[in-house]
Amino acid sequence: MPNSSSISEFLLLPLADTRQLQLLHFWLLLGIYLAALLGNGLISTAVACDRRLHTPMYFFLLNLALLDLGCISTTLPKAMANALWDTRAISYAGCAAQIFFFVFFLSAEFSLLTIMSYDRYVAICKPLHYGTLMDSRACATMAAAAWSSMLLYSLLHTASTFSLPLCQGNVVNQFFCEIPQILKLSCSESNLREVVLLIFSASLVFGCFVFIVVSYVQIFLAVLRMPSEQGRHKAFSTCLPHLAVVSLFVSTGAFANLKPLSLSSPSMDLMVALLYSVVPPTLNPIIYSMRNREIKHSLREVLQSALFQIP
């Protein structure tokens, strides 16, 4: 049996068995990837260029778009390259880097969604204090805390995973390097550091989820007390996109981690991984721009400006 010191590369799960299906999957993933790049890129450009969108809500939306770009760029390019060139290999360092960045972007995104729920809570429940509680310095501090803390968390998680001796081969039953699949290659049944990190991760996720739920309970109670129907509609319209994004993120992640063992198989695990790693980064820009007039107007100006500059 090979150990971790002798492993120079891992073999990822192929997306298909035949060459024709591999090429089909390549073009499908390429279309999805380009759509995600375009959507998140347009959102980022619109928020960065339009001074009317330089508000806390859109500042956090810009951060969310950047995290979505990083998350989908961690997994899909390698999967597309393997499908196009009919290979399965990823280097040991490449696998570690993939896990590090994927955990970082995913955890930072959930932290940011939690901060965005606080932003909506302050805007609706404490409007008179919004300018003080959510000034530019506070927003930058919260965003920096989400990025830096999850960077450290991802570093610890990755280091703990790859410190385990690996003696169960080098075949990863997933289209990208995933921590549960790497743990299956470990020689030991359990590792104290990894168990502690998993408990900490579960507690962190649960705490963020409870914070979001409590925030939205307070938001809905405050909205229902508003005397103006127009005010209620405006408040709901600013919250529903964020609530939809949170629901998509939580539901896909929960299904991936809490699905019954009877449903576990390489093909099912592959589909579930595609669901939680690809769908949210692709749909988030659509969700946020669908009913947001300011985003639509800004995107229209960005596109018109780009078209007029084309010779």
Side-chain angles (χ1 to χ4, degrees):
M1 290 287 183
N3 56 36
S4 55
S5 61
S6 64
I7 294 177
S8 60
E9 66 178 18
F10 293 94
L11 298 178
L12 300 175
L13 186 69
L15 294 173
D17 297 328
T18 64
R19 185 61 182 150
Q20 290 78 9
L21 284 177
Q22 284 180 340
L23 293 176
L24 176 61
H25 283 118
F26 165 77
W27 289 111
L28 288 175
L29 292 181
L30 179 62
I32 294 172
Y33 185 56
L34 292 177
L37 290 182
L38 179 63
N40 288 289
L42 286 174
I43 292 287
S44 302
T45 304
V47 175
C49 296
D50 193 341
R51 294 185 62 85
R52 292 169 298 183
L53 301 183
H54 290 181
T55 63
M57 183 175 75
Y58 293 109
F59 169 74
F60 293 129
L61 181 57
L62 170 63
N63 279 263
L64 182 67
L66 294 176
L67 289 170
D68 280 335
L69 282 173
C71 185
I72 200 167
S73 296
T74 301
T75 58
L76 280 198
K78 182 59 179 176
M80 289 188 295
N82 283 357
L84 181 61
W85 302 112
D86 192 20
T87 64
R88 299 175 55 191
I90 183 173
S91 67
Y92 187 93
C95 185
Q98 200 172 59
I99 284 181
F100 170 77
F101 285 111
F102 187 71
V103 172
F104 165 62
F105 288 123
L106 212 62
S107 57
E109 182 166 337
F110 195 41
S111 298
L112 190 69
L113 289 173
T114 306
I115 294 172
M116 292 172 76
S117 70
Y118 174 72
D119 170 67
R120 292 298 84 207
Y121 164 77
V122 175
I124 294 174
C125 299
K126 300 180 181 295
L128 297 178
H129 302 282
Y130 187 74
T132 303
L133 295 175
M134 300 300 295
D135 60 4
S136 57
R137 177 175 293 182
C139 293
T141 301
M142 285 187 283
W147 285 73
S148 57
S149 60
M150 292 304 108
L151 188 70
L152 178 60
Y153 166 75
S154 179
L155 180 62
L156 292 174
H157 221 335
T158 306
S160 175
T161 300
F162 282 91
S163 66
L164 298 174
L166 307 178
C167 59
Q168 303 294 329
N170 65 338
V171 177
V172 178
N173 289 321
Q174 192 52 271
F175 78 97
F176 67 96
C177 285
E178 194 181 38
I179 286 180
Q181 300 298 332
I182 298 297
L183 293 180
K184 289 180 181 179
L185 305 179
S186 172
C187 304
S188 56
E189 291 293 330
S190 63
N191 180 272
L192 181 60
R193 286 174 298 179
E194 193 61 34
V195 170
V196 170
L197 272 175
L198 288 175
I199 294 174
F200 174 74
S201 302
S203 303
L204 186 65
V205 170
F206 182 73
C208 290
F209 179 73
V210 169
F211 185 90
I212 293 173
V213 170
V214 171
S215 297
Y216 269 100
V217 168
Q218 297 296 320
I219 288 171
F220 287 138
L221 291 176
V223 170
L224 292 175
R225 288 195 296 265
M226 290 181 178
S228 168
E229 183 178 349
Q230 184 179 3
R232 290 196 297 269
H233 176 75
K234 183 178 180 180
F236 275 126
S237 66
T238 61
C239 292
L240 287 180
H242 175 259
L243 195 57
V245 169
V246 170
S247 300
L248 180 65
F249 186 93
V250 172
S251 60
T252 54
F255 183 73
N257 292 283
L258 302 178
K259 67 180 185 300
L261 293 176
S262 58
L263 296 178
S264 183
S265 66
S267 58
M268 177 58 71
D269 292 344
L270 179 63
M271 292 179 60
V272 170
L274 284 170
L275 184 68
Y276 82 84
S277 66
V278 173
V279 173
T282 306
L283 292 185
N284 286 351
I286 299 174
I287 293 172
Y288 265 105
S289 60
M290 189 176 296
R291 297 185 60 187
N292 192 307
R293 293 181 180 178
E294 293 178 320
I295 286 287
K296 287 181 179 179
H297 181 69
S298 182
L299 288 176
R300 194 177 299 114
E301 290 183 347
V302 169
L303 292 174
Q304 288 176 349
S305 176
L307 290 174
F308 285 133
Q309 289 180 2
I310 296 176

